[in-house]
Amino acid sequence: MKAFMDKDFLLSTPSAQKLYHDYAEKMPVLDYHCHINPQEIAEDRRFENITQVWLGGDHYKWRQMRSNGVEEKYITGDATDREKFQKWAETLEKLIGNPLYHWSHLELQRYFGYTGHLCGDTAEEVWNLCNEQLQNKWTVRSLIKASNVTLICTTDDPVDSLEWHKKIAEDPSFDVQVLPAWRPDKANNVEKPDYAAYIAKLSEVSGVAVKDFASLKEALLKRLDFFHSMGCRVSDHALEYVMYVPASDEEIDAIIAKGLAGEGVSKEEELKYKTAFMLFVAKQYNRLGWAMQLHYGCKRDNNAYMYQQLGPDTGFDCINNYAPSAQMADFLNALSATNEIPRTIIYSLNPNDDASIGTILGCFQDPSAAGKLQQGSAWWFNDHKQGMTAQMTSLANLGCLGNFIGMLTDSRSFLSYTRHEYFRRIMCELLGGWVENGEYPDDQKALKKIVEGICYNNAVKYFGFRL
């Protein structure tokens, strides 16, 4: 029997162990998509206890606590941090086979030197150990540095001032780049009841009174150029699916007028507006040399009762199985017609979409970038051992795995950089298995290039970051 999460955790063959320990383990981390707060980096926040850094906004953990019958007061309510931690520890011990079990223990091992296992009985010991180090050793910046992170892309709204990014960039005591990433979902969601209020804010910040499609594009252009001046090179979109329902500018003007007046728009109108919006911004990303990330396949905020109490992003989302791949292909084809496809990373929350994504990518590659169109790493409900293995296997089957840009945290926690280690171990196990089976030669020069590329080098080259 192997020891619990030892140095060869998830590495079952000599080839996998060599690939990980000789190559992957040593590579830096480029976290090109996350949801951490740049203010906490600028101010170098120090957390009072492990609950604040672990449970403060982690809906992954919240979902499992609810699955364990924990009362909401111990999840998002007014229970003490110690009480919340106890309930999480009692939940964790039941999560056999769940990636949260592995992630949590990797974090305890790497940052706090704890090699036991967290459960209800050990919660007091772990609570005291972690809190002592959080209060005396760890700050946000020291956690980032200890994780060998070179660059972080946050997630930022077009109306954001980016003041905290500016302060970080001007601070000579911290050499990790923290760059904004453009996330214009609120400007795209014409069907939402807060659309008019958001567009009013966009008008104010941009200095352009948005009243139709032309003025909306002008306002967005001003903010795009500002973000670019602040080092932004990545965009991100949360879509129901990648749609393609083309319409004239006159039709889009009429839809915007309804949205600004607070009138409801039909589903067809929503799709027409979002198609026009996405075509416009995609062409601007191409002009600016940005990469475009498309996240789709999620049905959000399913529990209306809990949504009214807690709001969005609190653990009530699920996989949506409606995503017409033909429309995604048509969307990319419309951009291809004028040679304006930006570097594009496509993520679906539904693992059944892996093959369709893989085949669509192959239709639109060009020599401007190796792997110009990418399938994003296994996302959200799929970033577990099986999901990561399936995504990489599908990509290898249908495309060029050696150009894959690898993992990201997609997290709100400063302890989540161990997700890169988790991914790298799974990746080395997969590649090592192919070598052991004689499916790929034991060519260490080639394997080193592939492993180091997927871990870090491919992303550096793909995004064009200066490191």
Side-chain angles (χ1 to χ4, degrees):
M1 181 175 65
K2 293 186 66 175
F4 172 63
M5 292 183 65
D6 65 1
K7 68 181 182 66
D8 291 328
F9 170 57
L10 297 177
L11 306 170
S12 65
T13 66
S15 292
Q17 293 161 12
K18 180 175 179 59
L19 294 179
Y20 179 74
H21 293 301
D22 287 3
Y23 310 134
E25 187 175 22
K26 302 172 183 177
M27 296 304 292
V29 168
L30 194 160
D31 201 33
Y32 56 87
H33 175 65
C34 71
H35 297 274
I36 59 175
N37 185 346
Q39 180 177 351
E40 294 181 338
I41 303 176
E43 296 177 342
D44 199 18
R45 178 180 176 183
R46 186 182 296 274
F47 295 94
E48 295 177 10
N49 59 60
I50 186 64
T51 297
Q52 291 181 2
V53 70
W54 249 9
L55 295 169
D58 191 343
H59 52 76
Y60 284 66
K61 294 185 178 75
W62 294 351
R63 284 172 68 97
Q64 300 311 323
M65 293 170 76
R66 293 179 187 124
S67 296
N68 197 35
V70 175
E71 293 180 52
E72 195 65 30
K73 67 173 290 187
Y74 298 106
I75 303 172
T76 60
D78 59 1
T80 67
D81 285 350
R82 177 64 183 89
E83 290 172 328
K84 291 179 178 179
F85 182 76
Q86 184 68 36
K87 294 297 184 182
W88 166 242
E90 292 169 358
T91 298
L92 185 64
E93 64 184 274
K94 297 182 179 181
L95 296 184
I96 185 169
N98 191 297
L100 283 169
Y101 196 87
H102 294 151
W103 295 352
S104 297
H105 285 94
L106 280 174
E107 292 170 18
L108 290 173
Q109 288 185 11
R110 299 296 174 262
Y111 299 111
F112 304 105
Y114 183 75
T115 57
H117 60 280
L118 175 58
C119 61
D121 292 341
T122 61
E124 181 68 15
E125 173 191 4
V126 176
W127 171 262
N128 291 330
L129 172 69
C130 293
N131 292 350
E132 190 276 330
Q133 294 190 42
L134 286 170
Q135 292 163 16
N136 297 297
K137 177 181 179 181
W138 294 119
T139 65
V140 161
R141 291 188 179 189
S142 63
L143 287 167
I144 292 171
K145 291 292 291 182
S147 304
N148 199 18
V149 178
T150 62
L151 187 146
I152 296 167
C153 291
T154 57
T155 301
D156 309 277
D157 191 279
V159 303
D160 197 301
S161 69
L162 305 184
E163 59 179 303
W164 299 109
H165 295 84
K166 186 173 187 294
K167 289 181 179 180
I168 295 167
E170 293 173 347
D171 185 347
S173 68
F174 188 62
D175 61 356
V176 177
Q177 293 187 62
V178 181
L179 303 179
W182 167 273
R183 178 79 170 247
D185 292 348
K186 292 181 179 178
N188 195 24
N189 291 337
V190 69
E191 80 284 7
K192 298 289 187 182
D194 59 354
Y195 175 78
Y198 177 79
I199 294 299
K201 191 169 186 179
L202 176 63
S203 298
E204 178 184 355
V205 171
S206 67
V208 177
V210 176
K211 57 184 183 300
D212 53 21
F213 194 31
S215 53
L216 174 62
K217 290 188 285 188
E218 183 183 355
L220 291 171
L221 278 173
K222 287 183 177 293
R223 299 309 295 169
L224 280 162
D225 289 341
F226 169 65
F227 268 59
H228 189 78
S229 73
M230 294 295 292
C232 180
R233 298 296 182 270
V234 186
S235 69
D236 181 43
H237 297 265
L239 304 170
E240 181 182 356
Y241 58 90
V242 183
M243 69 285 295
Y244 186 71
V245 183
S248 67
D249 283 1
E250 290 75 19
E251 288 179 276
I252 304 304
D253 286 343
I255 296 167
I256 290 174
K258 292 179 71 173
L260 294 178
E263 301 175 15
V265 299
S266 69
K267 188 64 177 180
E268 182 180 9
E269 289 172 329
E270 175 193 340
L271 297 178
K272 287 181 176 180
Y273 173 87
K274 289 183 175 180
T275 298
F277 185 100
M278 290 301 302
L279 288 171
F280 169 73
V281 293
K283 292 177 181 181
Q284 298 309 312
Y285 304 151
N286 181 68
R287 173 181 68 86
L288 293 166
W290 291 13
M292 174 173 68
Q293 296 180 97
L294 304 176
H295 287 87
Y296 72 91
C298 181
K299 187 176 186 303
R300 298 177 184 270
D301 307 321
N302 294 288
N303 189 324
Y305 173 75
M306 294 302 295
Y307 178 80
Q308 290 176 353
Q309 297 183 57
L310 302 176
D313 303 321
T314 50
F316 300 97
D317 307 319
C318 69
I319 292 172
N320 190 344
N321 66 357
Y322 179 71
S325 60
Q327 289 195 39
M328 180 161 65
D330 289 345
F331 169 75
L332 293 170
N333 193 46
L335 294 170
S336 177
T338 52
N339 195 29
E340 291 180 284
I341 301 180
R343 280 166 289 146
T344 301
I345 311 165
I346 301 172
Y347 311 76
S348 174
L349 201 56
N350 191 335
N352 292 329
D353 292 338
D354 282 353
S356 63
I357 292 173
T359 56
I360 287 171
L361 301 180
C363 298
F364 299 102
Q365 304 288 12
D366 66 49
S368 63
K372 179 177 178 178
L373 275 74
Q374 292 261 340
Q375 181 181 10
S377 61
W379 171 45
W380 197 348
F381 296 127
N382 302 306
D383 54 5
H384 44 71
K385 180 181 177 182
Q386 181 180 348
M388 292 180 189
T389 301
Q391 183 269 342
M392 285 186 279
T393 301
S394 179
L395 181 54
N397 285 338
L398 299 169
C400 188
L401 182 60
N403 288 331
F404 182 34
I405 59 173
M407 188 57 174
L408 61 161
T409 62
D410 191 26
S411 174
R412 292 167 173 79
S413 170
F414 291 97
L415 296 183
S416 291
Y417 299 111
T418 52
R419 294 185 191 179
H420 285 265
E421 176 184 343
Y422 192 59
F423 165 82
R424 291 173 182 185
R425 288 176 177 272
I426 292 166
M427 182 260 291
C428 289
E429 172 72 2
L430 179 64
L431 271 57
W434 289 336
V435 173
E436 292 281 335
N437 288 335
E439 298 175 54
Y440 192 89
D442 188 20
D443 180 344
Q444 289 302 310
K445 182 179 179 181
L447 289 164
K448 179 178 188 290
K449 186 175 181 180
I450 291 171
V451 169
E452 292 181 348
I454 295 172
C455 288
Y456 182 76
N457 293 336
N458 291 348
V460 173
K461 185 176 181 180
Y462 184 82
F463 293 106
F465 294 130
R466 296 179 181 179
L467 295 166

mmCIF file of all heavy atoms in Angstrom, residues 216-252:
data_model
loop_
_atom_site.group_PDB
_atom_site.id
_atom_site.type_symbol
_atom_site.label_atom_id
_atom_site.label_comp_id
_atom_site.label_asym_id
_atom_site.label_seq_id
_atom_site.Cartn_x
_atom_site.Cartn_y
_atom_site.Cartn_z
ATOM 1 N N LEU A 216 -22.258 52.253 -28.101
ATOM 2 C CA LEU A 216 -21.796 51.173 -27.227
ATOM 3 C C LEU A 216 -20.403 50.720 -27.651
ATOM 4 O O LEU A 216 -19.509 50.539 -26.808
ATOM 5 C CB LEU A 216 -22.773 49.993 -27.280
ATOM 6 C CG LEU A 216 -22.327 48.736 -26.523
ATOM 7 C CD1 LEU A 216 -22.178 49.000 -25.029
ATOM 8 C CD2 LEU A 216 -23.308 47.585 -26.762
ATOM 9 N N LYS A 217 -20.209 50.562 -28.947
ATOM 10 C CA LYS A 217 -18.898 50.144 -29.438
ATOM 11 C C LYS A 217 -17.840 51.202 -29.124
ATOM 12 O O LYS A 217 -16.703 50.868 -28.755
ATOM 13 C CB LYS A 217 -18.965 49.856 -30.937
ATOM 14 C CG LYS A 217 -19.762 48.600 -31.272
ATOM 15 C CD LYS A 217 -19.671 48.213 -32.731
ATOM 16 C CE LYS A 217 -20.489 49.090 -33.622
ATOM 17 N NZ LYS A 217 -20.545 48.572 -35.029
ATOM 18 N N GLU A 218 -18.201 52.460 -29.246
ATOM 19 C CA GLU A 218 -17.258 53.543 -28.931
ATOM 20 C C GLU A 218 -16.856 53.506 -27.461
ATOM 21 O O GLU A 218 -15.672 53.660 -27.116
ATOM 22 C CB GLU A 218 -17.875 54.903 -29.286
ATOM 23 C CG GLU A 218 -16.925 56.069 -29.061
ATOM 24 C CD GLU A 218 -17.578 57.416 -29.341
ATOM 25 O OE1 GLU A 218 -18.738 57.447 -29.795
ATOM 26 O OE2 GLU A 218 -16.916 58.461 -29.086
ATOM 27 N N ALA A 219 -17.835 53.304 -26.591
ATOM 28 C CA ALA A 219 -17.544 53.239 -25.151
ATOM 29 C C ALA A 219 -16.650 52.039 -24.834
ATOM 30 O O ALA A 219 -15.682 52.147 -24.053
ATOM 31 C CB ALA A 219 -18.848 53.163 -24.357
ATOM 32 N N LEU A 220 -16.960 50.910 -25.430
ATOM 33 C CA LEU A 220 -16.150 49.718 -25.192
ATOM 34 C C LEU A 220 -14.727 49.904 -25.711
ATOM 35 O O LEU A 220 -13.761 49.466 -25.071
ATOM 36 C CB LEU A 220 -16.799 48.501 -25.849
ATOM 37 C CG LEU A 220 -18.112 48.015 -25.215
ATOM 38 C CD1 LEU A 220 -18.767 46.957 -26.099
ATOM 39 C CD2 LEU A 220 -17.874 47.449 -23.816
ATOM 40 N N LEU A 221 -14.586 50.550 -26.857
ATOM 41 C CA LEU A 221 -13.253 50.793 -27.409
ATOM 42 C C LEU A 221 -12.402 51.620 -26.461
ATOM 43 O O LEU A 221 -11.202 51.342 -26.285
ATOM 44 C CB LEU A 221 -13.368 51.501 -28.761
ATOM 45 C CG LEU A 221 -13.656 50.617 -29.974
ATOM 46 C CD1 LEU A 221 -13.917 51.472 -31.205
ATOM 47 C CD2 LEU A 221 -12.489 49.672 -30.234
ATOM 48 N N LYS A 222 -12.982 52.624 -25.870
ATOM 49 C CA LYS A 222 -12.227 53.456 -24.918
ATOM 50 C C LYS A 222 -11.747 52.626 -23.733
ATOM 51 O O LYS A 222 -10.600 52.763 -23.279
ATOM 52 C CB LYS A 222 -13.084 54.634 -24.452
ATOM 53 C CG LYS A 222 -13.275 55.715 -25.497
ATOM 54 C CD LYS A 222 -14.068 56.876 -24.945
ATOM 55 C CE LYS A 222 -14.194 57.997 -25.984
ATOM 56 N NZ LYS A 222 -12.876 58.636 -26.270
ATOM 57 N N ARG A 223 -12.613 51.768 -23.240
ATOM 58 C CA ARG A 223 -12.219 50.946 -22.087
ATOM 59 C C ARG A 223 -11.235 49.844 -22.500
ATOM 60 O O ARG A 223 -10.317 49.506 -21.744
ATOM 61 C CB ARG A 223 -13.461 50.328 -21.439
ATOM 62 C CG ARG A 223 -14.458 51.345 -20.906
ATOM 63 C CD ARG A 223 -13.797 52.384 -20.014
ATOM 64 N NE ARG A 223 -13.266 51.769 -18.791
ATOM 65 C CZ ARG A 223 -12.461 52.388 -17.929
ATOM 66 N NH1 ARG A 223 -12.045 53.621 -18.169
ATOM 67 N NH2 ARG A 223 -12.050 51.775 -16.843
ATOM 68 N N LEU A 224 -11.397 49.289 -23.696
ATOM 69 C CA LEU A 224 -10.440 48.307 -24.194
ATOM 70 C C LEU A 224 -9.042 48.905 -24.284
ATOM 71 O O LEU A 224 -8.052 48.290 -23.859
ATOM 72 C CB LEU A 224 -10.877 47.795 -25.571
ATOM 73 C CG LEU A 224 -11.963 46.726 -25.607
ATOM 74 C CD1 LEU A 224 -12.597 46.650 -26.991
ATOM 75 C CD2 LEU A 224 -11.392 45.364 -25.228
ATOM 76 N N ASP A 225 -8.960 50.101 -24.820
ATOM 77 C CA ASP A 225 -7.648 50.739 -24.961
ATOM 78 C C ASP A 225 -7.050 51.061 -23.598
ATOM 79 O O ASP A 225 -5.829 50.959 -23.405
ATOM 80 C CB ASP A 225 -7.774 52.003 -25.812
ATOM 81 C CG ASP A 225 -8.039 51.697 -27.286
ATOM 82 O OD1 ASP A 225 -7.767 50.560 -27.712
ATOM 83 O OD2 ASP A 225 -8.534 52.587 -27.999
ATOM 84 N N PHE A 226 -7.898 51.437 -22.625
ATOM 85 C CA PHE A 226 -7.393 51.685 -21.274
ATOM 86 C C PHE A 226 -6.863 50.394 -20.660
ATOM 87 O O PHE A 226 -5.755 50.371 -20.096
ATOM 88 C CB PHE A 226 -8.503 52.265 -20.397
ATOM 89 C CG PHE A 226 -8.150 52.304 -18.937
ATOM 90 C CD1 PHE A 226 -7.121 53.099 -18.467
ATOM 91 C CD2 PHE A 226 -8.838 51.512 -18.017
ATOM 92 C CE1 PHE A 226 -6.774 53.124 -17.116
ATOM 93 C CE2 PHE A 226 -8.506 51.525 -16.676
ATOM 94 C CZ PHE A 226 -7.473 52.330 -16.224
ATOM 95 N N PHE A 227 -7.620 49.315 -20.783
ATOM 96 C CA PHE A 227 -7.161 48.037 -20.245
ATOM 97 C C PHE A 227 -5.847 47.614 -20.912
ATOM 98 O O PHE A 227 -4.942 47.104 -20.256
ATOM 99 C CB PHE A 227 -8.233 46.960 -20.441
ATOM 100 C CG PHE A 227 -9.189 46.800 -19.285
ATOM 101 C CD1 PHE A 227 -9.973 47.868 -18.854
ATOM 102 C CD2 PHE A 227 -9.313 45.591 -18.623
ATOM 103 C CE1 PHE A 227 -10.857 47.720 -17.789
ATOM 104 C CE2 PHE A 227 -10.191 45.428 -17.558
ATOM 105 C CZ PHE A 227 -10.964 46.503 -17.130
ATOM 106 N N HIS A 228 -5.747 47.824 -22.210
ATOM 107 C CA HIS A 228 -4.523 47.462 -22.915
ATOM 108 C C HIS A 228 -3.331 48.246 -22.365
ATOM 109 O O HIS A 228 -2.235 47.682 -22.196
ATOM 110 C CB HIS A 228 -4.688 47.732 -24.413
ATOM 111 C CG HIS A 228 -3.576 47.188 -25.253
ATOM 112 N ND1 HIS A 228 -3.476 45.861 -25.593
ATOM 113 C CD2 HIS A 228 -2.491 47.793 -25.822
ATOM 114 C CE1 HIS A 228 -2.396 45.658 -26.334
ATOM 115 N NE2 HIS A 228 -1.785 46.825 -26.484
ATOM 116 N N SER A 229 -3.550 49.520 -22.080
ATOM 117 C CA SER A 229 -2.466 50.347 -21.533
ATOM 118 C C SER A 229 -2.032 49.886 -20.153
ATOM 119 O O SER A 229 -0.901 50.171 -19.729
ATOM 120 C CB SER A 229 -2.918 51.819 -21.459
ATOM 121 O OG SER A 229 -3.857 52.027 -20.397
ATOM 122 N N MET A 230 -2.912 49.145 -19.476
ATOM 123 C CA MET A 230 -2.610 48.623 -18.141
ATOM 124 C C MET A 230 -2.058 47.199 -18.197
ATOM 125 O O MET A 230 -1.956 46.538 -17.165
ATOM 126 C CB MET A 230 -3.864 48.676 -17.276
ATOM 127 C CG MET A 230 -4.340 50.091 -16.973
ATOM 128 S SD MET A 230 -3.154 51.017 -15.962
ATOM 129 C CE MET A 230 -3.278 50.127 -14.409
ATOM 130 N N GLY A 231 -1.713 46.740 -19.389
ATOM 131 C CA GLY A 231 -1.085 45.428 -19.521
ATOM 132 C C GLY A 231 -2.029 44.283 -19.806
ATOM 133 O O GLY A 231 -1.594 43.130 -19.873
ATOM 134 N N CYS A 232 -3.320 44.551 -19.959
ATOM 135 C CA CYS A 232 -4.277 43.478 -20.235
ATOM 136 C C CYS A 232 -4.014 42.878 -21.603
ATOM 137 O O CYS A 232 -3.853 43.603 -22.594
ATOM 138 C CB CYS A 232 -5.701 44.032 -20.173
ATOM 139 S SG CYS A 232 -6.982 42.800 -20.506
ATOM 140 N N ARG A 233 -3.970 41.554 -21.643
ATOM 141 C CA ARG A 233 -3.788 40.840 -22.904
ATOM 142 C C ARG A 233 -4.731 39.646 -23.023
ATOM 143 O O ARG A 233 -4.604 38.841 -23.945
ATOM 144 C CB ARG A 233 -2.332 40.360 -23.024
ATOM 145 C CG ARG A 233 -1.285 41.472 -23.049
ATOM 146 C CD ARG A 233 -1.421 42.359 -24.270
ATOM 147 N NE ARG A 233 -0.391 43.398 -24.327
ATOM 148 C CZ ARG A 233 -0.514 44.618 -23.800
ATOM 149 N NH1 ARG A 233 -1.641 44.959 -23.176
ATOM 150 N NH2 ARG A 233 0.457 45.504 -23.907
ATOM 151 N N VAL A 234 -5.691 39.570 -22.105
ATOM 152 C CA VAL A 234 -6.585 38.418 -22.055
ATOM 153 C C VAL A 234 -8.012 38.902 -21.785
ATOM 154 O O VAL A 234 -8.235 39.773 -20.929
ATOM 155 C CB VAL A 234 -6.180 37.429 -20.939
ATOM 156 C CG1 VAL A 234 -7.042 36.171 -20.998
ATOM 157 C CG2 VAL A 234 -4.709 37.079 -21.031
ATOM 158 N N SER A 235 -8.976 38.334 -22.496
ATOM 159 C CA SER A 235 -10.387 38.581 -22.199
ATOM 160 C C SER A 235 -11.019 37.280 -21.734
ATOM 161 O O SER A 235 -10.456 36.199 -21.904
ATOM 162 C CB SER A 235 -11.113 39.107 -23.436
ATOM 163 O OG SER A 235 -11.216 38.081 -24.411
ATOM 164 N N ASP A 236 -12.203 37.412 -21.177
ATOM 165 C CA ASP A 236 -12.909 36.225 -20.689
ATOM 166 C C ASP A 236 -14.403 36.476 -20.773
ATOM 167 O O ASP A 236 -14.872 37.575 -20.447
ATOM 168 C CB ASP A 236 -12.495 35.928 -19.243
ATOM 169 C CG ASP A 236 -13.186 34.686 -18.702
ATOM 170 O OD1 ASP A 236 -13.260 33.693 -19.436
ATOM 171 O OD2 ASP A 236 -13.657 34.719 -17.554
ATOM 172 N N HIS A 237 -15.140 35.466 -21.215
ATOM 173 C CA HIS A 237 -16.593 35.584 -21.354
ATOM 174 C C HIS A 237 -17.277 34.367 -20.761
ATOM 175 O O HIS A 237 -16.870 33.232 -21.030
ATOM 176 C CB HIS A 237 -16.987 35.697 -22.834
ATOM 177 C CG HIS A 237 -16.451 36.904 -23.517
ATOM 178 N ND1 HIS A 237 -17.168 38.061 -23.653
ATOM 179 C CD2 HIS A 237 -15.233 37.140 -24.092
ATOM 180 C CE1 HIS A 237 -16.442 38.963 -24.289
ATOM 181 N NE2 HIS A 237 -15.259 38.423 -24.561
ATOM 182 N N ALA A 238 -18.310 34.591 -19.965
ATOM 183 C CA ALA A 238 -19.165 33.520 -19.478
ATOM 184 C C ALA A 238 -20.438 33.536 -20.316
ATOM 185 O O ALA A 238 -21.251 34.463 -20.211
ATOM 186 C CB ALA A 238 -19.496 33.721 -18.007
ATOM 187 N N LEU A 239 -20.592 32.526 -21.160
ATOM 188 C CA LEU A 239 -21.715 32.459 -22.084
ATOM 189 C C LEU A 239 -22.569 31.232 -21.795
ATOM 190 O O LEU A 239 -22.057 30.214 -21.327
ATOM 191 C CB LEU A 239 -21.205 32.373 -23.525
ATOM 192 C CG LEU A 239 -20.274 33.487 -24.002
ATOM 193 C CD1 LEU A 239 -19.667 33.120 -25.344
ATOM 194 C CD2 LEU A 239 -21.041 34.805 -24.111
ATOM 195 N N GLU A 240 -23.853 31.341 -22.092
ATOM 196 C CA GLU A 240 -24.701 30.150 -22.022
ATOM 197 C C GLU A 240 -24.198 29.129 -23.036
ATOM 198 O O GLU A 240 -24.080 27.943 -22.753
ATOM 199 C CB GLU A 240 -26.153 30.519 -22.313
ATOM 200 C CG GLU A 240 -27.109 29.350 -22.232
ATOM 201 C CD GLU A 240 -28.537 29.733 -22.581
ATOM 202 O OE1 GLU A 240 -28.808 30.929 -22.825
ATOM 203 O OE2 GLU A 240 -29.395 28.829 -22.633
ATOM 204 N N TYR A 241 -23.911 29.604 -24.230
ATOM 205 C CA TYR A 241 -23.213 28.835 -25.253
ATOM 206 C C TYR A 241 -22.684 29.842 -26.264
ATOM 207 O O TYR A 241 -23.013 31.034 -26.216
ATOM 208 C CB TYR A 241 -24.110 27.783 -25.917
ATOM 209 C CG TYR A 241 -25.367 28.313 -26.572
ATOM 210 C CD1 TYR A 241 -25.380 28.709 -27.909
ATOM 211 C CD2 TYR A 241 -26.567 28.393 -25.863
ATOM 212 C CE1 TYR A 241 -26.529 29.185 -28.516
ATOM 213 C CE2 TYR A 241 -27.724 28.865 -26.459
ATOM 214 C CZ TYR A 241 -27.698 29.263 -27.783
ATOM 215 O OH TYR A 241 -28.843 29.735 -28.380
ATOM 216 N N VAL A 242 -21.816 29.409 -27.160
ATOM 217 C CA VAL A 242 -21.284 30.303 -28.194
ATOM 218 C C VAL A 242 -22.293 30.329 -29.334
ATOM 219 O O VAL A 242 -22.404 29.378 -30.106
ATOM 220 C CB VAL A 242 -19.903 29.832 -28.681
ATOM 221 C CG1 VAL A 242 -19.344 30.831 -29.708
ATOM 222 C CG2 VAL A 242 -18.944 29.679 -27.499
ATOM 223 N N MET A 243 -23.041 31.423 -29.391
ATOM 224 C CA MET A 243 -24.152 31.501 -30.337
ATOM 225 C C MET A 243 -23.768 32.235 -31.616
ATOM 226 O O MET A 243 -22.795 32.999 -31.646
ATOM 227 C CB MET A 243 -25.361 32.185 -29.695
ATOM 228 C CG MET A 243 -25.198 33.669 -29.397
ATOM 229 S SD MET A 243 -24.154 34.040 -27.975
ATOM 230 C CE MET A 243 -25.133 33.331 -26.664
ATOM 231 N N TYR A 244 -24.550 32.006 -32.640
ATOM 232 C CA TYR A 244 -24.385 32.763 -33.885
ATOM 233 C C TYR A 244 -25.753 32.963 -34.527
ATOM 234 O O TYR A 244 -26.299 32.085 -35.198
ATOM 235 C CB TYR A 244 -23.448 32.059 -34.862
ATOM 236 C CG TYR A 244 -23.173 32.908 -36.092
ATOM 237 C CD1 TYR A 244 -22.392 34.051 -35.999
ATOM 238 C CD2 TYR A 244 -23.729 32.571 -37.325
ATOM 239 C CE1 TYR A 244 -22.154 34.847 -37.113
ATOM 240 C CE2 TYR A 244 -23.491 33.362 -38.450
ATOM 241 C CZ TYR A 244 -22.698 34.498 -38.330
ATOM 242 O OH TYR A 244 -22.471 35.298 -39.431
ATOM 243 N N VAL A 245 -26.322 34.162 -34.263
ATOM 244 C CA VAL A 245 -27.608 34.554 -34.850
ATOM 245 C C VAL A 245 -27.412 35.969 -35.381
ATOM 246 O O VAL A 245 -27.652 36.953 -34.671
ATOM 247 C CB VAL A 245 -28.749 34.506 -33.818
ATOM 248 C CG1 VAL A 245 -30.084 34.844 -34.486
ATOM 249 C CG2 VAL A 245 -28.823 33.148 -33.141
ATOM 250 N N PRO A 246 -26.913 36.116 -36.595
ATOM 251 C CA PRO A 246 -26.551 37.452 -37.099
ATOM 252 C C PRO A 246 -27.771 38.343 -37.311
ATOM 253 O O PRO A 246 -28.885 37.873 -37.538
ATOM 254 C CB PRO A 246 -25.854 37.141 -38.428
ATOM 255 C CG PRO A 246 -26.366 35.800 -38.835
ATOM 256 C CD PRO A 246 -26.624 35.048 -37.561
ATOM 257 N N ALA A 247 -27.528 39.658 -37.202
ATOM 258 C CA ALA A 247 -28.589 40.649 -37.374
ATOM 259 C C ALA A 247 -27.970 41.950 -37.871
ATOM 260 O O ALA A 247 -26.754 42.161 -37.767
ATOM 261 C CB ALA A 247 -29.323 40.875 -36.057
ATOM 262 N N SER A 248 -28.799 42.837 -38.386
ATOM 263 C CA SER A 248 -28.324 44.144 -38.858
ATOM 264 C C SER A 248 -28.085 45.077 -37.671
ATOM 265 O O SER A 248 -28.605 44.858 -36.567
ATOM 266 C CB SER A 248 -29.360 44.773 -39.792
ATOM 267 O OG SER A 248 -30.537 45.096 -39.059
ATOM 268 N N ASP A 249 -27.320 46.127 -37.905
ATOM 269 C CA ASP A 249 -27.086 47.118 -36.852
ATOM 270 C C ASP A 249 -28.391 47.785 -36.422
ATOM 271 O O ASP A 249 -28.555 48.137 -35.243
ATOM 272 C CB ASP A 249 -26.103 48.191 -37.337
ATOM 273 C CG ASP A 249 -24.659 47.703 -37.321
ATOM 274 O OD1 ASP A 249 -24.428 46.524 -36.946
ATOM 275 O OD2 ASP A 249 -23.762 48.489 -37.672
ATOM 276 N N GLU A 250 -29.308 47.940 -37.359
ATOM 277 C CA GLU A 250 -30.598 48.549 -37.020
ATOM 278 C C GLU A 250 -31.363 47.656 -36.034
ATOM 279 O O GLU A 250 -31.992 48.162 -35.085
ATOM 280 C CB GLU A 250 -31.425 48.772 -38.289
ATOM 281 C CG GLU A 250 -30.899 49.867 -39.216
ATOM 282 C CD GLU A 250 -29.667 49.429 -40.000
ATOM 283 O OE1 GLU A 250 -29.431 48.195 -40.104
ATOM 284 O OE2 GLU A 250 -28.943 50.324 -40.488
ATOM 285 N N GLU A 251 -31.316 46.366 -36.244
ATOM 286 C CA GLU A 251 -31.964 45.454 -35.301
ATOM 287 C C GLU A 251 -31.303 45.539 -33.923
ATOM 288 O O GLU A 251 -31.996 45.536 -32.895
ATOM 289 C CB GLU A 251 -31.877 44.012 -35.823
ATOM 290 C CG GLU A 251 -32.757 43.706 -37.014
ATOM 291 C CD GLU A 251 -32.590 42.267 -37.478
ATOM 292 O OE1 GLU A 251 -31.656 41.994 -38.253
ATOM 293 O OE2 GLU A 251 -33.393 41.411 -37.033
ATOM 294 N N ILE A 252 -29.979 45.611 -33.904
ATOM 295 C CA ILE A 252 -29.267 45.697 -32.632
ATOM 296 C C ILE A 252 -29.596 47.011 -31.921
ATOM 297 O O ILE A 252 -29.781 47.038 -30.693
ATOM 298 C CB ILE A 252 -27.747 45.563 -32.840
ATOM 299 C CG1 ILE A 252 -27.422 44.256 -33.589
ATOM 300 C CG2 ILE A 252 -27.011 45.602 -31.505
ATOM 301 C CD1 ILE A 252 -27.958 43.013 -32.929
#
